[in-house]
Amino acid sequence: MKKIYSTIVMAAVLLLAMPAQAQVKFGFRGGANLVNMKLSGDFTNNLAKDNRAGFYIGPTVKFTVPIVGLSMDASALYDQRSTEVTVEGTNTTESMITRQLAIPVNVRYGWGLGSVADVFLFAGPQVAFNFAKDKSIFKSAADWKWNTSNFSINIGLGCTILSHVELKANYNIACGKTGEATVWNATKTAALGTVKSKYNSWQLGMAYYF
């Protein structure tokens, strides 16, 4: 949690430190998630996962500072990700869905292609606060608990067209686990082990700045 709070404070300081002559644009962003869920811990050899597409959507703001090529963006996104986990050799499958408020802050460096378009690389931290509820899975053989908050890093590239439309592609890398399952014995009187998950994600999206 200290890492998350430090990131929020650092992002706020950077935004407040933007010079008065910085150009600010507000817009709306949306796109698709393709989850790359990683499992670790006990029993993972008996589990298979099938990644699913999700989505994100929400407002965004972009700051262009008077340094050639340098800018920043920040967003507040409703972010939904999903995957399915199956016990191999059975028909027992569970859908694992996270719903969260994601707040990415990216530093960008771009190259202009005239007045029509520019391309840019970007990277930065992201904090997310989970709305998903804990649940019993595999016919109550395990209890799944989501982290209330997550910290991750974005790395990607993008293109701005006619100063208003923006296309982005990036990989979101989770720093630490995003959820954990406790596996119980048949009478649910003793824990047999745990399974941890990490939700990385490929993301493709588009934004429009007014």
Side-chain angles (χ1 to χ4, degrees):
M1 290 300 292
K2 289 183 178 179
K3 183 187 295 184
I4 292 174
Y5 293 142
S6 297
T7 301
I8 294 173
V9 171
M10 183 172 59
V13 170
L14 287 172
L15 294 178
L16 291 173
M18 288 291 180
Q21 63 268 37
Q23 183 182 17
V24 181
K25 287 187 175 183
F26 295 92
F28 209 71
R29 180 179 304 283
N33 291 311
L34 180 59
V35 174
N36 180 18
M37 184 180 185
K38 297 182 182 297
L39 299 174
S40 62
D42 305 303
F43 310 109
T44 52
N45 291 335
N46 300 321
L47 300 175
K49 55 186 176 60
D50 184 14
N51 296 322
R52 301 288 182 178
F55 68 92
Y56 61 91
I57 190 168
T60 186
V61 59
K62 179 169 64 175
F63 302 87
T64 303
V65 299
I67 300 175
V68 175
L70 188 63
S71 61
M72 290 183 63
D73 68 55
S75 306
L77 307 173
Y78 174 81
D79 184 304
Q80 180 171 304
R81 306 181 184 192
S82 63
T83 191
E84 289 188 346
V85 179
T86 303
V87 178
E88 292 187 333
T90 73
N91 293 321
T92 308
T93 299
E94 293 287 346
S95 295
M96 311 304 297
I97 301 175
T98 58
R99 301 176 180 89
Q100 57 188 11
L101 171 64
I103 305 174
V105 178
N106 298 306
V107 176
R108 307 147 50 118
Y109 188 81
W111 297 267
L113 302 176
S115 60
V116 177
D118 67 66
V119 294
F120 58 90
L121 301 175
F122 68 92
Q126 174 175 300
V127 292
F129 302 94
N130 211 334
F131 302 143
K133 295 182 179 180
D134 301 338
K135 59 185 291 188
S136 294
I137 58 175
F138 300 135
K139 298 179 181 179
S140 299
D143 292 325
W144 190 274
K145 182 177 180 62
W146 294 108
N147 283 13
T148 55
S149 59
N150 302 298
F151 179 81
S152 58
I153 299 293
N154 289 311
I155 300 174
L157 57 86
C159 176
T160 304
I161 303 170
L162 298 176
S163 300
H164 293 286
V165 179
E166 186 175 276
L167 305 176
K168 268 186 175 182
N170 69 279
Y171 192 56
N172 177 246
I173 306 166
C175 300
K177 68 177 182 180
T178 51
E180 181 178 83
T182 301
V183 182
W184 300 94
N185 62 2
T187 58
K188 211 169 184 179
T189 56
L192 301 178
T194 60
V195 177
K196 299 178 181 179
S197 72
K198 181 182 288 189
Y199 258 24
N200 298 334
S201 180
W202 289 101
Q203 297 181 313
L204 296 174
M206 182 175 70
Y208 184 85
Y209 289 98
F210 303 103

mmCIF file of all heavy atoms in Angstrom, residues 83-110:
data_model
loop_
_atom_site.group_PDB
_atom_site.id
_atom_site.type_symbol
_atom_site.label_atom_id
_atom_site.label_comp_id
_atom_site.label_asym_id
_atom_site.label_seq_id
_atom_site.Cartn_x
_atom_site.Cartn_y
_atom_site.Cartn_z
ATOM 1 N N THR A 83 -11.015 -14.156 -17.387
ATOM 2 C CA THR A 83 -10.394 -15.391 -17.858
ATOM 3 C C THR A 83 -11.205 -16.551 -17.301
ATOM 4 O O THR A 83 -12.047 -16.360 -16.419
ATOM 5 C CB THR A 83 -8.923 -15.479 -17.412
ATOM 6 O OG1 THR A 83 -8.273 -16.549 -18.086
ATOM 7 C CG2 THR A 83 -8.811 -15.696 -15.915
ATOM 8 N N GLU A 84 -10.981 -17.747 -17.818
ATOM 9 C CA GLU A 84 -11.647 -18.942 -17.297
ATOM 10 C C GLU A 84 -10.588 -19.940 -16.841
ATOM 11 O O GLU A 84 -9.596 -20.163 -17.539
ATOM 12 C CB GLU A 84 -12.542 -19.581 -18.358
ATOM 13 C CG GLU A 84 -13.787 -18.761 -18.667
ATOM 14 C CD GLU A 84 -14.769 -19.488 -19.568
ATOM 15 O OE1 GLU A 84 -14.366 -20.515 -20.164
ATOM 16 O OE2 GLU A 84 -15.916 -19.044 -19.666
ATOM 17 N N VAL A 85 -10.812 -20.513 -15.669
ATOM 18 C CA VAL A 85 -9.891 -21.495 -15.104
ATOM 19 C C VAL A 85 -10.620 -22.828 -14.985
ATOM 20 O O VAL A 85 -11.742 -22.890 -14.473
ATOM 21 C CB VAL A 85 -9.368 -21.041 -13.726
ATOM 22 C CG1 VAL A 85 -8.424 -22.083 -13.145
ATOM 23 C CG2 VAL A 85 -8.676 -19.686 -13.836
ATOM 24 N N THR A 86 -9.983 -23.903 -15.463
ATOM 25 C CA THR A 86 -10.593 -25.235 -15.480
ATOM 26 C C THR A 86 -9.698 -26.236 -14.766
ATOM 27 O O THR A 86 -8.469 -26.194 -14.918
ATOM 28 C CB THR A 86 -10.813 -25.712 -16.924
ATOM 29 O OG1 THR A 86 -11.627 -24.765 -17.618
ATOM 30 C CG2 THR A 86 -11.494 -27.067 -16.963
ATOM 31 N N VAL A 87 -10.301 -27.125 -13.966
ATOM 32 C CA VAL A 87 -9.567 -28.256 -13.397
ATOM 33 C C VAL A 87 -9.428 -29.297 -14.499
ATOM 34 O O VAL A 87 -10.438 -29.797 -15.011
ATOM 35 C CB VAL A 87 -10.300 -28.853 -12.180
ATOM 36 C CG1 VAL A 87 -9.528 -30.060 -11.648
ATOM 37 C CG2 VAL A 87 -10.457 -27.808 -11.096
ATOM 38 N N GLU A 88 -8.196 -29.590 -14.896
ATOM 39 C CA GLU A 88 -7.969 -30.494 -16.020
ATOM 40 C C GLU A 88 -8.534 -31.883 -15.738
ATOM 41 O O GLU A 88 -8.444 -32.399 -14.623
ATOM 42 C CB GLU A 88 -6.474 -30.576 -16.332
ATOM 43 C CG GLU A 88 -5.918 -29.273 -16.880
ATOM 44 C CD GLU A 88 -4.479 -29.421 -17.342
ATOM 45 O OE1 GLU A 88 -3.769 -30.297 -16.815
ATOM 46 O OE2 GLU A 88 -4.066 -28.649 -18.234
ATOM 47 N N GLY A 89 -9.131 -32.457 -16.775
ATOM 48 C CA GLY A 89 -9.742 -33.772 -16.652
ATOM 49 C C GLY A 89 -11.168 -33.728 -16.144
ATOM 50 O O GLY A 89 -11.790 -34.777 -15.964
ATOM 51 N N THR A 90 -11.694 -32.519 -15.909
ATOM 52 C CA THR A 90 -13.079 -32.381 -15.437
ATOM 53 C C THR A 90 -13.784 -31.328 -16.288
ATOM 54 O O THR A 90 -13.175 -30.669 -17.122
ATOM 55 C CB THR A 90 -13.137 -31.941 -13.962
ATOM 56 O OG1 THR A 90 -12.753 -30.557 -13.880
ATOM 57 C CG2 THR A 90 -12.195 -32.770 -13.098
ATOM 58 N N ASN A 91 -15.062 -31.180 -16.066
ATOM 59 C CA ASN A 91 -15.834 -30.119 -16.726
ATOM 60 C C ASN A 91 -16.063 -28.933 -15.793
ATOM 61 O O ASN A 91 -16.949 -28.114 -16.013
ATOM 62 C CB ASN A 91 -17.188 -30.675 -17.194
ATOM 63 C CG ASN A 91 -17.021 -31.696 -18.304
ATOM 64 O OD1 ASN A 91 -16.182 -31.523 -19.179
ATOM 65 N ND2 ASN A 91 -17.827 -32.757 -18.254
ATOM 66 N N THR A 92 -15.266 -28.863 -14.719
ATOM 67 C CA THR A 92 -15.424 -27.802 -13.734
ATOM 68 C C THR A 92 -14.641 -26.569 -14.168
ATOM 69 O O THR A 92 -13.416 -26.563 -14.166
ATOM 70 C CB THR A 92 -14.941 -28.258 -12.350
ATOM 71 O OG1 THR A 92 -15.578 -29.486 -12.012
ATOM 72 C CG2 THR A 92 -15.263 -27.215 -11.290
ATOM 73 N N THR A 93 -15.374 -25.519 -14.558
ATOM 74 C CA THR A 93 -14.760 -24.289 -15.051
ATOM 75 C C THR A 93 -15.323 -23.095 -14.294
ATOM 76 O O THR A 93 -16.519 -23.049 -14.000
ATOM 77 C CB THR A 93 -15.020 -24.105 -16.559
ATOM 78 O OG1 THR A 93 -14.446 -25.201 -17.267
ATOM 79 C CG2 THR A 93 -14.409 -22.804 -17.067
ATOM 80 N N GLU A 94 -14.463 -22.165 -13.971
ATOM 81 C CA GLU A 94 -14.877 -20.949 -13.284
ATOM 82 C C GLU A 94 -14.462 -19.727 -14.091
ATOM 83 O O GLU A 94 -13.348 -19.667 -14.611
ATOM 84 C CB GLU A 94 -14.247 -20.861 -11.889
ATOM 85 C CG GLU A 94 -14.728 -21.915 -10.911
ATOM 86 C CD GLU A 94 -16.149 -21.661 -10.423
ATOM 87 O OE1 GLU A 94 -16.668 -20.539 -10.630
ATOM 88 O OE2 GLU A 94 -16.730 -22.580 -9.818
ATOM 89 N N SER A 95 -15.370 -18.769 -14.190
ATOM 90 C CA SER A 95 -15.056 -17.482 -14.822
ATOM 91 C C SER A 95 -14.523 -16.536 -13.755
ATOM 92 O O SER A 95 -15.180 -16.312 -12.737
ATOM 93 C CB SER A 95 -16.306 -16.878 -15.469
ATOM 94 O OG SER A 95 -16.759 -17.682 -16.533
ATOM 95 N N MET A 96 -13.345 -15.987 -13.997
ATOM 96 C CA MET A 96 -12.717 -15.071 -13.059
ATOM 97 C C MET A 96 -12.732 -13.678 -13.689
ATOM 98 O O MET A 96 -12.077 -13.440 -14.705
ATOM 99 C CB MET A 96 -11.281 -15.502 -12.751
ATOM 100 C CG MET A 96 -11.138 -16.974 -12.378
ATOM 101 S SD MET A 96 -12.174 -17.452 -10.964
ATOM 102 C CE MET A 96 -11.471 -16.434 -9.688
ATOM 103 N N ILE A 97 -13.499 -12.768 -13.122
ATOM 104 C CA ILE A 97 -13.688 -11.434 -13.690
ATOM 105 C C ILE A 97 -13.302 -10.380 -12.664
ATOM 106 O O ILE A 97 -13.778 -10.417 -11.524
ATOM 107 C CB ILE A 97 -15.134 -11.213 -14.144
ATOM 108 C CG1 ILE A 97 -15.540 -12.256 -15.190
ATOM 109 C CG2 ILE A 97 -15.321 -9.810 -14.708
ATOM 110 C CD1 ILE A 97 -16.994 -12.178 -15.608
ATOM 111 N N THR A 98 -12.432 -9.456 -13.061
ATOM 112 C CA THR A 98 -12.127 -8.311 -12.204
ATOM 113 C C THR A 98 -12.778 -7.072 -12.794
ATOM 114 O O THR A 98 -12.795 -6.875 -14.008
ATOM 115 C CB THR A 98 -10.619 -8.062 -12.075
ATOM 116 O OG1 THR A 98 -10.050 -7.842 -13.362
ATOM 117 C CG2 THR A 98 -9.936 -9.226 -11.406
ATOM 118 N N ARG A 99 -13.294 -6.233 -11.898
ATOM 119 C CA ARG A 99 -13.829 -4.923 -12.272
ATOM 120 C C ARG A 99 -13.151 -3.908 -11.371
ATOM 121 O O ARG A 99 -13.233 -4.025 -10.144
ATOM 122 C CB ARG A 99 -15.351 -4.893 -12.090
ATOM 123 C CG ARG A 99 -16.084 -5.939 -12.921
ATOM 124 C CD ARG A 99 -17.571 -5.924 -12.621
ATOM 125 N NE ARG A 99 -18.288 -6.914 -13.405
ATOM 126 C CZ ARG A 99 -18.495 -8.170 -13.026
ATOM 127 N NH1 ARG A 99 -18.018 -8.582 -11.855
ATOM 128 N NH2 ARG A 99 -19.153 -9.001 -13.786
ATOM 129 N N GLN A 100 -12.495 -2.929 -11.965
ATOM 130 C CA GLN A 100 -11.701 -2.028 -11.155
ATOM 131 C C GLN A 100 -11.675 -0.607 -11.717
ATOM 132 O O GLN A 100 -11.954 -0.396 -12.905
ATOM 133 C CB GLN A 100 -10.263 -2.565 -11.038
ATOM 134 C CG GLN A 100 -9.574 -2.780 -12.371
ATOM 135 C CD GLN A 100 -8.236 -3.492 -12.244
ATOM 136 O OE1 GLN A 100 -7.883 -4.006 -11.194
ATOM 137 N NE2 GLN A 100 -7.480 -3.512 -13.323
ATOM 138 N N LEU A 101 -11.354 0.342 -10.846
ATOM 139 C CA LEU A 101 -11.064 1.700 -11.269
ATOM 140 C C LEU A 101 -9.561 1.795 -11.451
ATOM 141 O O LEU A 101 -8.805 1.683 -10.476
ATOM 142 C CB LEU A 101 -11.536 2.708 -10.212
ATOM 143 C CG LEU A 101 -11.086 4.159 -10.446
ATOM 144 C CD1 LEU A 101 -11.687 4.722 -11.719
ATOM 145 C CD2 LEU A 101 -11.447 5.023 -9.235
ATOM 146 N N ALA A 102 -9.121 1.972 -12.686
ATOM 147 C CA ALA A 102 -7.697 2.038 -13.008
ATOM 148 C C ALA A 102 -7.299 3.480 -13.279
ATOM 149 O O ALA A 102 -7.994 4.203 -14.002
ATOM 150 C CB ALA A 102 -7.379 1.161 -14.215
ATOM 151 N N ILE A 103 -6.162 3.900 -12.706
ATOM 152 C CA ILE A 103 -5.672 5.265 -12.883
ATOM 153 C C ILE A 103 -4.241 5.199 -13.416
ATOM 154 O O ILE A 103 -3.280 5.116 -12.640
ATOM 155 C CB ILE A 103 -5.716 6.044 -11.554
ATOM 156 C CG1 ILE A 103 -7.125 5.999 -10.963
ATOM 157 C CG2 ILE A 103 -5.268 7.495 -11.761
ATOM 158 C CD1 ILE A 103 -7.232 6.611 -9.582
ATOM 159 N N PRO A 104 -4.068 5.201 -14.742
ATOM 160 C CA PRO A 104 -2.730 5.206 -15.321
ATOM 161 C C PRO A 104 -2.217 6.637 -15.504
ATOM 162 O O PRO A 104 -2.985 7.547 -15.839
ATOM 163 C CB PRO A 104 -2.944 4.527 -16.680
ATOM 164 C CG PRO A 104 -4.358 4.860 -17.045
ATOM 165 C CD PRO A 104 -5.122 4.974 -15.754
ATOM 166 N N VAL A 105 -0.927 6.836 -15.278
ATOM 167 C CA VAL A 105 -0.251 8.114 -15.536
ATOM 168 C C VAL A 105 0.972 7.800 -16.383
ATOM 169 O O VAL A 105 1.862 7.068 -15.940
ATOM 170 C CB VAL A 105 0.162 8.817 -14.229
ATOM 171 C CG1 VAL A 105 0.895 10.119 -14.534
ATOM 172 C CG2 VAL A 105 -1.047 9.083 -13.349
ATOM 173 N N ASN A 106 1.016 8.339 -17.601
ATOM 174 C CA ASN A 106 2.083 8.005 -18.546
ATOM 175 C C ASN A 106 2.889 9.222 -18.955
ATOM 176 O O ASN A 106 2.338 10.301 -19.191
ATOM 177 C CB ASN A 106 1.496 7.366 -19.808
ATOM 178 C CG ASN A 106 0.787 6.059 -19.527
ATOM 179 O OD1 ASN A 106 1.366 5.150 -18.932
ATOM 180 N ND2 ASN A 106 -0.467 5.960 -19.920
ATOM 181 N N VAL A 107 4.202 9.027 -19.058
ATOM 182 C CA VAL A 107 5.084 10.015 -19.678
ATOM 183 C C VAL A 107 5.297 9.587 -21.120
ATOM 184 O O VAL A 107 5.544 8.411 -21.404
ATOM 185 C CB VAL A 107 6.431 10.095 -18.935
ATOM 186 C CG1 VAL A 107 7.383 11.048 -19.649
ATOM 187 C CG2 VAL A 107 6.216 10.534 -17.496
ATOM 188 N N ARG A 108 5.204 10.556 -22.060
ATOM 189 C CA ARG A 108 5.247 10.244 -23.491
ATOM 190 C C ARG A 108 6.352 11.055 -24.181
ATOM 191 O O ARG A 108 6.621 12.193 -23.820
ATOM 192 C CB ARG A 108 3.911 10.609 -24.133
ATOM 193 C CG ARG A 108 2.706 10.001 -23.457
ATOM 194 C CD ARG A 108 1.472 10.881 -23.520
ATOM 195 N NE ARG A 108 1.139 11.377 -24.830
ATOM 196 C CZ ARG A 108 0.017 11.127 -25.501
ATOM 197 N NH1 ARG A 108 -0.900 10.344 -24.953
ATOM 198 N NH2 ARG A 108 -0.226 11.649 -26.667
ATOM 199 N N TYR A 109 6.942 10.405 -25.176
ATOM 200 C CA TYR A 109 7.899 11.127 -26.020
ATOM 201 C C TYR A 109 7.544 10.833 -27.476
ATOM 202 O O TYR A 109 7.473 9.669 -27.878
ATOM 203 C CB TYR A 109 9.339 10.711 -25.739
ATOM 204 C CG TYR A 109 10.322 11.599 -26.471
ATOM 205 C CD1 TYR A 109 10.674 12.843 -25.956
ATOM 206 C CD2 TYR A 109 10.865 11.205 -27.693
ATOM 207 C CE1 TYR A 109 11.547 13.678 -26.630
ATOM 208 C CE2 TYR A 109 11.734 12.040 -28.371
ATOM 209 C CZ TYR A 109 12.074 13.274 -27.838
ATOM 210 O OH TYR A 109 12.929 14.100 -28.516
ATOM 211 N N GLY A 110 7.285 11.900 -28.246
ATOM 212 C CA GLY A 110 6.789 11.695 -29.608
ATOM 213 C C GLY A 110 7.628 12.362 -30.677
ATOM 214 O O GLY A 110 8.476 13.216 -30.410
#
